[in-house]
Amino acid sequence: MCLEWDKSASSLLEKVPPFVQKTVREKVETLARERGRTRVTEAEVMAARDSFMDKSQPVAGAPQAGKTKPADDKKLSILKKYPKYFDSAGNPVLYQIKPCRGAEVNCPFLITDSKILADKIRNRLEEVKFTEKLMNKIEGQILPHHTLKLAVSGCPNSCSMPQIKDFGVHAVEPVFVDPESACIECMKCVETCREDAITIQDGQVSIDKEKCVHCGLCAKVCPSGSIKAGKKTYRTMVGGKVGRHPKFAVDILPQAEESATLKALDVCVDMILSSKTEHRFRVLLEQQGIEEIKKRL
Ligand code: SF4
Ligand code: SF4
Ligand code: SF4
């Protein structure tokens, strides 16, 4: 259940960029609950900010001393301020995977539980020893922007924001018109489609492929089976970033099965680890060209 927010606390939240407000709100409320508060005040927002920025006490889960090799301690000294770059045993983890919470909250838009693919991505990064190899590759201090950001969402609504991650994926459920099933012109699909992609005329169903985002919702509401859902797949995009010059990720696989998605991950990881520079992934992509990745998929 959401906590009530004071006016002053709400004004502080409004200053945060809109696309991260939801996440910040959740984090502030979680911390406020942990502090036994039933209402969010300005003090709660500031305490949360201090906690995120590590301006106060060590945060639960923060890396413990002596868990990394002395040679790596210097490299990791900046990341050590942020618990999210370490596992519960204090080992560095130079990637963050954010799944959406669709399955957890029984989201009505859910196509595929994002945590399933997120776990496979995590396993893959562990198998290839991504953290170890990235640490060896970077000569100086490891900074937050060196780490790989990934997100998986259970539907095109993209709550975990794959569009601004280095490697982002969301589930899709393409639909098609089945000419064998007669449309009864109930218009439920038209009412359901938020993209205004469906037209019905004289019992003929037409879906505008340019507008359709493959959410699969029209197939779910169609009583006659005139619109059917195809195979659930994933859309993969790469190179999204925020910061000084934000960029949206670029599509590399608009609709692909899990195995192809994981292969795309392998290609991106190889590109990062074999690069001689320490540039952000987006910069590497722009230097080498998105077509280079596509050729290797
Ligand atoms: S991305 Fe889709 S499935 Fe996941 S929480 Fe958001 S709306 Fe629900
Ligand atoms: S799949 Fe979604 S976006 Fe595409 S036509 Fe159906 S409801 Fe509209
Ligand atoms: S929901 Fe199905 S039956 Fe109803 S108008 Fe759309 S295609 Fe026709």
Side-chain angles (χ1 to χ4, degrees):
M1 205 174 70
C2 292
L3 297 183
E4 265 191 61
W5 284 57
D6 277 0
K7 205 172 164 194
S8 55
S10 296
S11 330
L12 287 174
L13 184 65
E14 279 163 19
K15 290 180 186 163
V16 173
F19 60 87
V20 289
Q21 279 184 9
K22 186 168 174 268
T23 309
V24 171
R25 173 182 283 277
E26 284 172 5
K27 290 192 171 180
V28 171
E29 291 188 2
T30 301
L31 200 74
R33 282 192 198 93
E34 284 170 10
R35 285 158 54 97
R37 310 291 195 263
T38 54
R39 187 176 179 81
V40 177
T41 63
E42 195 174 335
E44 299 312 317
V45 179
M46 299 315 283
R49 187 204 65 172
D50 286 349
S51 163
F52 303 152
M53 303 294 287
D54 197 38
K55 285 186 176 172
S56 58
Q57 298 302 307
V59 184
Q64 302 147 31
K67 289 286 178 183
T68 49
K69 288 182 270 174
D72 293 335
D73 280 348
K74 198 161 172 238
K75 276 189 175 184
L76 292 167
S77 63
I78 291 178
L79 291 193
K80 283 196 170 193
K81 295 177 179 173
Y82 306 98
K84 69 178 177 178
Y85 298 116
F86 295 83
D87 65 16
S88 54
N91 301 306
V93 181
L94 300 189
Y95 59 84
Q96 300 94 50
I97 308 170
K98 188 169 171 49
C100 78
R101 297 175 62 195
E104 206 180 305
V105 299
N106 280 332
C107 175
F109 301 106
L110 184 72
I111 295 171
T112 306
D113 182 353
S114 56
K115 290 194 175 151
I116 296 171
L117 181 59
D119 283 346
K120 290 185 180 174
I121 289 176
R122 184 175 295 104
N123 290 343
R124 196 77 197 105
L125 292 171
E126 287 302 313
E127 270 168 35
V128 300
K129 300 191 184 311
F130 179 79
T131 294
E132 200 179 315
K133 289 181 180 168
L134 189 66
M135 279 189 63
N136 290 338
K137 182 176 109 85
I138 297 173
E139 284 179 5
Q141 282 278 358
I142 300 174
L143 302 172
H145 73 255
H146 290 127
T147 67
L148 188 66
K149 281 97 183 160
L150 311 97
V152 186
S153 283
C155 84
N157 287 352
S158 298
C159 296
S160 54
M161 299 183 283
Q163 294 89 347
I164 55 165
K165 306 293 182 189
D166 295 305
F167 188 88
V169 181
H170 70 66
V172 287
E173 189 167 28
V175 295
F176 64 94
V177 178
D178 179 0
E180 302 296 316
S181 305
C183 167
I184 58 171
E185 299 196 37
C186 67
M187 306 307 273
K188 284 186 182 166
C189 56
V190 175
E191 288 156 18
T192 301
C193 181
R194 296 175 174 191
E195 311 307 322
D196 200 18
I198 307 175
T199 47
I200 310 286
Q201 199 168 15
D202 301 329
Q204 293 297 310
V205 186
S206 168
I207 299 176
D208 185 334
K209 294 290 176 196
E210 293 296 314
K211 291 181 176 173
C212 176
V213 296
H214 313 300
C215 67
L217 293 178
C218 51
K220 286 192 178 75
V221 298
C222 177
S224 69
S226 299
I227 301 181
K228 288 191 168 66
K231 197 167 181 187
K232 296 174 181 178
T233 52
Y234 292 101
R235 174 184 174 196
T236 304
M237 55 208 103
V238 296
K241 68 185 274 286
V242 289
R244 199 172 169 93
H245 300 291
K247 298 264 170 81
F248 275 129
V250 181
D251 271 323
I252 51 168
L253 291 171
Q255 285 175 31
E257 294 192 18
E258 183 187 278
S259 56
T261 308
L262 291 169
K263 183 167 180 209
L265 174 72
D266 289 345
V267 170
C268 295
V269 164
D270 182 58
M271 202 166 165
I272 293 166
L273 294 177
S274 57
S275 129
K276 301 277 180 256
T277 65
E278 293 175 8
H279 288 315
R280 286 188 74 151
F281 185 43
R282 178 67 185 219
V283 179
L284 282 181
L285 279 181
E286 286 174 359
Q287 284 173 346
Q288 300 189 16
I290 198 78
E291 293 309 317
E292 276 310 302
I293 287 200
K294 288 187 179 171
K295 270 192 229 161
R296 294 173 63 185
L297 297 178

